[in-house]
Amino acid sequence: MSHATSNFFRTTANAAWKILRPLNGLVPEGRLPSPCWAPGRLLKQRDRVPMTTGIPRKTLSLCPDCNHEAVEAVLKGEIDVAAFRDNPGVIEAEILEEGGRILMRKGCKKHGPFEDALSNHPDFFRKMERLAFGRDFERVDDCNVHAHGPNSISSGRGTFLIVDITNRCNMMCSPCFMDANAASYVHELSMEDIKVIFSNALSFKPQREINVLFSGGEPTVSPIFLDAVRYAKSVGFHRLHVATNGVEFAKSKEFALQAREAGLHGVYLQLDGVSEEKNKHRGLGNYLPVRLQALENIAAAGMRTTLEVTVDKCRNSEGLGDIVRFAIQSIDKIHGVVFHPIMFAGRDEGVCAGERYARRYPLTQLAFDLHEQTSIGWQPMRDWFPLSGFGIFAHLSDVLNRKAKLGSLFQQTHPNRGIFSPLLVDTYRREAVPNSGRGPAATRALVSLSALRNFNQHRAPSGFGLRDLRCVLDDCFYRVAGSGDDWSEKAYSYDGRWRVMIFNGMWFQDAFNYDFAGICNSTTPVGLTQGEISFCAYYGGGWRKVVEHQSRTVKLSEWHRTHGRHEIYAKGKKVDLGQPAQRAGIQLVQIGAEPLAVPTGVLENSD
């Protein structure tokens, strides 16, 4: 598209917007619909409960020591689960700014004061809070699913349902929020447990599209992993993923094909860097060849991979830009990247204060490190947004698709815990640049005009026009609101030159920085036979040990006698890959240096 044509469309769209916007305000507001999946009418902005934000503010947190003592009391039989549920060690806390940092301070009468850093970039922290989208529906008909005292989830649909299928693992890593392979017992779900978990997930409103993430331990070592995927698919879940270290996928192309045939949509693959040095704490002797072979086999089976990166300030924080470059180079195989600042739970819950201060990686640092470590003009204050911003797209999809049987993926992660930035990737050149209640017809018209009037051809990459913009937006909306048995195939069908790659930062809470303001609207519940509980409460708030104590399958020694021992790759042990990966090492590419922000460059900010 020529610049003259682009300018004509912008001018025309601006004129139409100036006419229609005031007229739209004069028309009496319509009533949003009451979809069959929702507990009531779709919420207007003024109806949404706002996120709990603001500096300074008071909140409730956990005393790490009281929480640990309460868990141990349950395990020893000194108190029952109900007592732990009602008081897992709750204390008051304050979130404040001091010395260029955002801090959480709290004090326990028994164990003294605790302090942790939430951010070392206060302006960025405040921006994320300011842009946070409001909360979703309050949940109904869920008294048997969300009943965990102050840790109960009370609103929202969730975007990921975590199903921890086993506490066994074929590696022995640090960090490990589960402390896999360290327990004296096996906690492993049966198919009956799987059926109960998905029955719970379907039992309340709002009923929703949700990503299912089979996790562990290492979920692929479970004998029922493929059957669990098949069952989830059979009862209507289509966004099926697995969080894995990739060993089984690397060892066998057939395994990857079987997983795809069972209904698996995508893979979340552990990767902490693009060198063996950045991953030596994982203990695997040939870490990178395993990851490369896993990527090849997953892609050959027709799936894409999302990289999951645990960020530790002392281990790999200076290598995050290399991971971004690798992801863009491999965009035919990699869907996106999720950076997880280290969570001091599981194997690392007993860390001393000095080590915790040294290794702690505040989430807001991610945007600034990626600015320094890449060459695209990736601006922290311009190109990053709270994860809850995705809620705007979900709400728009719900308004436009009023007859949908399920609600869209509605993201309501607290802005202190989740951020994202989209990059627009040219798949040909492997380059990237940063990226009110009316009827559906009127809404579509206003959205289309908004896109036209904000599209700037001068700032767009060479070869990127309005048609490409429309295709990219259609693909993004389908990820949020698409449905049906063939959703996975259609979600992979987009093959345009331009693709949006999302880079997320997700910071799960541990007992040191625990904030109950983000628990009630958690979007990553863990599915249990006892209901659904926030991921942070399960791992950071002590619930995992309590649940496993209640429902452990068998002692580890007995499991070994009846099932045999599975291999554990640690202390430099290598995985036998048979045929080596096609590439000897990870190849990096230079990301294009022309800065362009999406939506603040190609789509400029305006009313």
Side-chain angles (χ1 to χ4, degrees):
M1 179 186 296
S2 69
H3 291 320
T5 303
S6 174
N7 287 336
F8 170 77
F9 279 126
R10 291 188 73 196
T11 301
T12 304
N14 267 315
W17 181 269
K18 290 177 181 179
I19 294 171
L20 289 179
R21 186 71 183 274
L23 290 176
N24 188 54
L26 295 174
V27 177
E29 287 192 2
R31 301 182 70 188
L32 290 177
S34 298
C36 63
W37 53 265
R41 292 189 179 277
L42 294 178
L43 300 174
K44 297 181 180 181
Q45 182 63 36
R46 63 173 176 267
D47 299 324
R48 296 187 185 281
V49 177
M51 301 281 188
T52 304
T53 60
I55 306 297
R57 71 174 183 267
K58 302 287 187 180
T59 189
L60 293 177
S61 184
L62 289 174
C63 168
D65 293 338
C66 287
N67 180 254
H68 176 76
E69 290 174 0
V71 171
E72 290 299 311
V74 175
L75 304 188
K76 295 175 182 177
E78 297 171 357
I79 63 173
D80 59 19
V81 175
F84 174 77
R85 177 196 64 207
D86 295 337
N87 188 11
V90 181
I91 58 174
E92 294 182 348
E94 182 180 13
I95 296 175
L96 68 155
E97 180 180 355
E98 183 179 284
R101 299 183 299 164
I102 304 295
L103 303 175
M104 172 180 280
R105 284 205 180 121
K106 51 191 178 182
C108 173
K109 294 179 180 179
K110 181 179 179 181
H111 298 106
F114 297 89
E115 179 183 286
D116 215 330
L118 301 184
S119 173
N120 50 354
H121 296 281
D123 289 343
F124 185 93
F125 188 90
R126 285 188 168 89
K127 179 200 171 184
M128 295 301 105
E129 291 202 337
R130 185 175 68 253
L131 295 179
F133 198 57
R135 284 164 54 179
D136 194 17
F137 291 104
E138 295 297 306
R139 294 180 170 182
V140 299
D141 302 326
D142 68 333
C143 59
N144 294 323
V145 180
H146 303 104
H148 298 95
N151 280 302
S152 296
I153 301 173
S154 60
S155 72
R157 311 170 207 182
T159 52
F160 278 92
L161 177 64
I162 313 297
V163 181
D164 280 346
I165 203 168
T166 180
N167 70 342
R168 296 185 298 123
C169 188
N170 51 10
M171 289 178 62
M172 191 72 177
C173 301
S174 177
C176 176
F177 54 75
M178 175 176 267
D179 200 12
N181 285 332
S184 61
Y185 56 85
V186 171
H187 178 255
E188 191 135 317
L189 299 183
S190 67
M191 281 307 300
E192 289 305 311
D193 295 330
I194 292 292
K195 292 176 182 178
V196 170
I197 287 170
F198 286 110
S199 176
N200 287 339
L202 294 168
S203 67
F204 60 89
K205 289 186 175 183
Q207 294 175 324
R208 74 287 202 211
E209 296 285 356
I210 193 167
N211 294 295
V212 174
L213 186 63
F214 291 99
S215 185
E218 173 52 45
T220 61
V221 305
S222 167
I224 68 164
F225 168 63
L226 295 178
D227 288 335
V229 174
R230 290 189 191 96
Y231 180 80
K233 181 76 172 178
S234 73
V235 295
F237 294 90
H238 307 298
R239 292 165 164 81
L240 303 175
H241 306 79
V242 61
T244 177
N245 57 36
V247 170
E248 295 302 315
F249 285 98
K251 286 165 58 178
S252 171
K253 292 181 180 179
E254 182 62 26
F255 179 80
L257 290 168
Q258 289 174 351
R260 179 61 171 161
E261 184 180 2
L264 196 69
H265 172 70
V267 176
Y268 281 70
L269 181 66
Q270 173 198 88
L271 182 79
D272 289 350
V274 297
S275 69
E276 293 290 350
E277 176 66 23
K278 289 290 186 293
N279 297 284
K280 65 181 182 180
H281 54 282
R282 298 293 180 183
L284 185 60
N286 54 344
Y287 187 95
L288 289 181
V290 167
R291 294 306 180 274
L292 291 172
Q293 191 63 62
L295 281 170
E296 296 289 345
N297 292 350
I298 291 163
M303 298 179 287
R304 291 191 190 135
T305 297
T306 298
L307 301 180
E308 281 203 296
V309 184
T310 300
V311 187
D312 185 318
K313 187 176 179 181
C314 293
R315 289 175 173 168
N316 65 334
S317 63
E318 76 281 7
L320 306 183
D322 290 337
I323 294 174
V324 172
R325 285 184 276 275
F326 171 58
I328 294 168
Q329 169 70 16
S330 308
I331 193 168
D332 55 324
K333 303 177 182 68
I334 294 176
H335 181 67
V337 181
V338 182
F339 295 98
H340 295 293
I342 185 170
M343 174 189 193
F344 291 107
R347 196 158 292 158
D348 294 272
E349 70 179 14
V351 63
C352 68
E355 185 179 352
R356 174 165 54 87
Y357 294 150
R359 296 171 62 191
R360 179 68 87 190
Y361 186 82
L363 178 63
T364 55
Q365 185 62 38
L366 176 66
F368 291 84
D369 281 349
L370 289 179
H371 167 69
E372 294 293 331
Q373 296 174 25
T374 59
S375 58
I376 58 177
W378 205 351
Q379 297 297 328
M381 296 297 290
R382 183 191 67 186
D383 301 324
W384 288 84
F385 307 91
L387 270 178
S388 63
F390 280 117
I392 298 170
F393 293 94
H395 175 69
L396 180 58
S397 296
D398 290 338
V399 170
L400 295 177
N401 302 300
R402 301 183 176 205
K403 295 183 179 180
K405 295 181 179 179
L406 295 173
S408 303
L409 285 169
F410 190 100
Q411 174 61 263
Q412 61 165 17
T413 298
H414 194 281
N416 298 168
R417 302 296 171 179
I419 60 176
F420 80 98
S421 183
L423 291 187
L424 187 62
V425 179
D426 182 345
T427 60
Y428 293 178
R429 300 174 62 185
R430 305 296 170 97
E431 294 180 352
V433 289
N435 186 10
S436 63
R438 307 298 180 204
T443 301
R444 286 190 180 95
L446 289 171
V447 171
S448 298
L449 281 176
S450 181
L452 282 172
R453 66 190 291 268
N454 288 306
F455 180 73
N456 189 331
Q457 185 70 59
H458 295 281
R459 295 189 179 183
S462 176
F464 186 88
L466 281 171
R467 184 184 297 273
D468 300 297
L469 175 63
R470 172 63 183 270
C471 292
V472 166
L473 289 176
D474 284 346
D475 180 50
C476 291
F477 274 108
Y478 191 75
R479 295 184 197 179
V480 172
S483 188
D485 291 340
D486 60 349
W487 175 85
S488 187
E489 288 72 23
K490 287 184 177 179
Y492 282 146
S493 66
Y494 175 70
D495 60 355
R497 173 180 176 179
W498 303 94
R499 188 176 299 161
V500 173
M501 180 176 277
I502 303 295
F503 291 83
N504 291 329
M506 283 286 292
W507 193 10
F508 294 118
Q509 303 177 53
D510 51 50
F512 300 100
N513 59 20
Y514 208 85
D515 183 357
F516 279 96
I519 296 296
C520 60
N521 56 307
S522 170
T523 58
T524 51
V526 178
L528 314 168
T529 55
Q530 301 92 333
E532 295 180 6
I533 188 170
S534 160
F535 184 95
C536 298
Y538 193 61
Y539 286 105
W543 271 96
R544 177 184 63 83
K545 291 181 179 179
V546 172
V547 169
E548 290 187 357
H549 177 75
Q550 286 181 292
S551 55
R552 53 189 173 185
T553 305
V554 68
K555 288 185 177 179
L556 183 61
S557 57
E558 180 62 26
W559 179 276
H560 287 159
R561 279 196 296 270
T562 57
H563 294 81
R565 293 176 178 267
H566 65 271
E567 285 193 280
I568 296 179
Y569 299 94
K571 298 180 180 180
K573 184 176 182 179
K574 295 183 178 182
V575 177
D576 183 5
L577 296 176
Q579 296 295 324
Q582 295 179 1
R583 291 174 291 181
I586 287 180
Q587 300 176 7
L588 302 181
V589 296
Q590 181 68 26
I591 301 176
E594 291 297 324
L596 173 66
V598 176
T600 52
V602 175
L603 295 179
E604 297 176 331
N605 282 336
S606 61
D607 292 334

